[in-house]
């Protein structure tokens, strides 16, 4: 619908303080407004746009400036981003009402005395109360928007946005409607309340000392009911692509990288790209190792015929040990052999090795030779852990299977590898085919000792 819109500042409100009847004050000044058609006062369908600052003042939402940081903490449910500036640390936070803004909206500008203002406890409730009181005073139905000044992602500069709405459709959903070419629109949801808030700020604002305006010409957006309020405009956190700032996301990734690795035994059919495997191997070889050496090798078994042959040879060697040495029953052998099936099902198979011939120091006594070997095996384990953590960072699952360690000669012969390459197990790799189960909680104090 196309219509002419008139925006008029509400001048002469005076200082608003705790307990001021804000609706009465607004009704008084709006009665002095003269419209282009010669009429005055409010008409049904007008929209009153009010700065949150005077709403907060009327509701007594001030605290001593010395309590500013504590107030920000109390208004915050999550830190989104932080940035050090010459003026100090700026925190972008998510508040109890779902708003994401600097310092939780706690503001010192245009506040008399050594005070700071908090946003209204429930801006939508404040908007509904103002609307009801104005309707009682003016005997007419209007819409009310409470605004605050916010920054915007990807854009410099500030703009007013609606944080409290009553009697206005906050968004217009055009999805499914045809555009001018007849194609259905897919992602067009217009933030009507925000557009009205921003438009009204052209005639009000801090520099002008005018905290409110009245708009005529948008009656088709005004509703008889209060409506869902501005809260309906808050994107659910689960759908937010930017729940954290860059620095915070990186920090969280570092903290959670190791715990994100989970053993995955069931994979879907998606292949794992070569560049992901190469990136994981690149991370693996950053592991610490003795004597500044690089003793690691990683064999990716791409050829399915070779993989089947290798796993069949390993299975046969395992069965021979279980029968000839352990004397297990055939039923028990079948169950144990089935544990290796994950290596057959995985989209990718990586075999890590440690070359013990070119890197180790050769001591004359067995005690130090054994310690040297253990030292290199620790470096191999660190590389395998790095490999799986790196895969998890790409949302790729893995399962470390120890079977190659128990049949080293079989693996070396089947793959035609040097006898000095010590197998470090096999890593099944692929995208998880089911959601990971919760990791059982473990108390670090059970494993932590101090000397």
């Amino acid at each position: 619908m196309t219509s002419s819109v008139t925006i008029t500042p509400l001048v002469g409100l005076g200082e608003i303080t705790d307990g001021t009847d804000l609706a009465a004050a607004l009704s008084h000044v709006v009665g002095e407004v003269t419209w282009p058609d010669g009429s005055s006062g409010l008409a049904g369908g007008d929209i009153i746009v009010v700065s949150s600052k005077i709403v907060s003042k009327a509701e007594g939402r001030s605290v001593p400036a010395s309590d500013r940081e504590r107030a920000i903490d109390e208004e915050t449910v999550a830190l989104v981003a932080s940035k050090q500036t010459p003026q100090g640390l700026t925190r972008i936070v998510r508040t109890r009402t779902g708003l994401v803004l600097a310092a939780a909206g706690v503001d010192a500008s245009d506040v008399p005395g050594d005070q700071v203002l908090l946003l209204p406890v429930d801006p939508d409730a404040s908007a509904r109360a103002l609307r009801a009181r104005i309707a009682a005073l003016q005997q007419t139905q209007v819409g009310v928007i409470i605004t605050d000044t916010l920054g915007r992602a990807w854009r410099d500069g500030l703009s007013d946005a609606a944080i409290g709405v009553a009697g206005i459709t906050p968004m217009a959903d055009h999805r499914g409607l045809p555009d001018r070419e007849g194609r259905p629109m897919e992602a067009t949801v217009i933030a009507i309340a925000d557009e009205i808030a921003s438009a009204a700020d052209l005639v009000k604002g801090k520099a002008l000392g005018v905290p409110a305006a009245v708009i005529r010409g948008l009656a088709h957006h005004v509703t008889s009911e209060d409506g869902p309020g501005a809260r309906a405009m808050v994107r659910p956190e689960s759908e937010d692509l930017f729940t954290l700032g860059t620095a915070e996301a990186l920090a969280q990734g570092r903290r959670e990288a190791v715990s994100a690795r989970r053993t995955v035994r069931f994979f879907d059919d998606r292949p794992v790209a070569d560049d992901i495997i190469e990136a994981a191997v690149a991370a693996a070889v950053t592991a610490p190792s003795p004597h500044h050496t690089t003793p690691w090798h990683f064999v990716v078994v791409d050829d399915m015929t070779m993989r089947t042959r290798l796993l069949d040879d390993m299975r046969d060697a395992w069965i021979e040990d279980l029968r000839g040495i352990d004397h297990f029953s055939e039923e028990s052998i079948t169950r144990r052999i089935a544990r290796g099936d994950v290596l057959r099902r995985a989209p990718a198979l990586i075999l890590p090795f440690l070359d013990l011939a070119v890197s180790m120091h050769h001591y004359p006594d067995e005690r130090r030779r054994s310690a040297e070997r253990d030292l290199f095996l620790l470096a191999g384990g660190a590389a395998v852990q790095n490999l799986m953590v790196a895969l998890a960072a790409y949302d790729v699952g893995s399962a470390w299977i120890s079977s190659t360690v128990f049949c080293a000669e079989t693996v070396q012969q089947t793959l035609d590898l040097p006898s000095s390459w010590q197998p470090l197990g096999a890593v099944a790799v692929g995208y998880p085919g089911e959601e990971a189960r919760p990791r059982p909680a473990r108390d670090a104090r059970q494993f932590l000792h101090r000397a």
Side-chain angles (χ1 to χ4, degrees), residues 173-408:
D173 190 347
H174 295 169
R175 291 173 297 182
L177 297 177
D179 63 14
R180 294 178 61 186
E181 302 298 325
R183 292 184 292 267
M185 292 182 278
E186 295 181 357
T188 307
V189 181
I190 307 300
I192 297 296
D194 280 346
E195 291 187 331
I196 296 172
S198 184
D201 199 48
L202 295 173
V203 301
K204 66 181 187 67
K206 296 179 181 179
L208 300 174
V210 179
V214 60
I215 297 179
R216 179 165 292 178
L218 297 175
H220 53 287
H221 291 302
V222 177
T223 59
S224 59
E225 302 296 325
D226 283 335
R231 191 61 186 258
M233 305 175 71
V234 175
R235 178 171 290 161
E237 189 174 354
S238 61
E239 299 176 10
D240 192 348
L241 297 178
F242 308 100
T243 54
L244 292 174
T246 300
E248 286 69 26
L250 290 172
Q252 180 174 314
R254 287 191 293 268
R255 289 192 300 269
E256 298 179 356
V258 173
S259 60
R261 186 210 65 77
R262 307 295 291 275
T263 297
V264 175
R265 296 182 180 276
F266 298 96
F267 305 98
D268 65 24
D269 295 330
R270 285 177 292 167
V272 179
D274 289 343
D275 58 349
I276 292 179
I277 291 177
E278 290 173 9
V281 171
V285 299
T286 65
S289 64
H291 320 313
H292 306 289
T293 58
T294 55
W296 312 283
H297 295 277
F298 296 85
V299 176
V300 180
V301 186
D302 285 325
D303 184 274
M304 293 305 296
T305 300
M306 175 56 74
R307 187 197 296 199
T308 300
R309 177 186 166 193
L310 171 66
L311 296 179
D312 286 349
D313 289 349
M314 290 169 55
R315 177 199 60 200
D316 293 344
W318 195 6
I319 290 174
E320 185 176 341
D321 285 344
L322 293 174
R323 283 176 179 160
I325 301 175
D326 300 307
H327 306 294
F328 284 168
S329 68
E330 293 302 313
E331 181 181 356
S332 177
I333 290 173
T334 299
R335 285 198 307 270
R336 288 173 178 270
I337 292 301
R339 297 172 187 172
D341 287 349
V342 63
L343 300 177
R344 299 178 186 272
R345 297 191 302 263
L349 179 63
I350 304 176
L351 305 183
F353 294 86
L354 198 65
D355 191 345
L356 299 176
V358 298
S359 306
M360 293 177 60
H361 286 181
H362 299 284
Y363 294 100
D365 56 295
E366 178 57 30
R367 175 178 60 84
R368 286 186 293 171
R369 285 197 301 272
S370 178
E372 180 79 354
R373 178 184 175 88
D374 291 346
L375 193 61
F376 273 84
L377 289 175
L378 287 172
V384 173
Q385 171 78 346
N386 276 10
L387 177 82
M388 294 190 293
V389 168
L391 288 169
Y394 288 94
D395 297 321
V396 175
S398 62
W400 177 73
I401 308 299
S402 63
S403 52
T404 65
V405 176
F406 291 89
C407 53

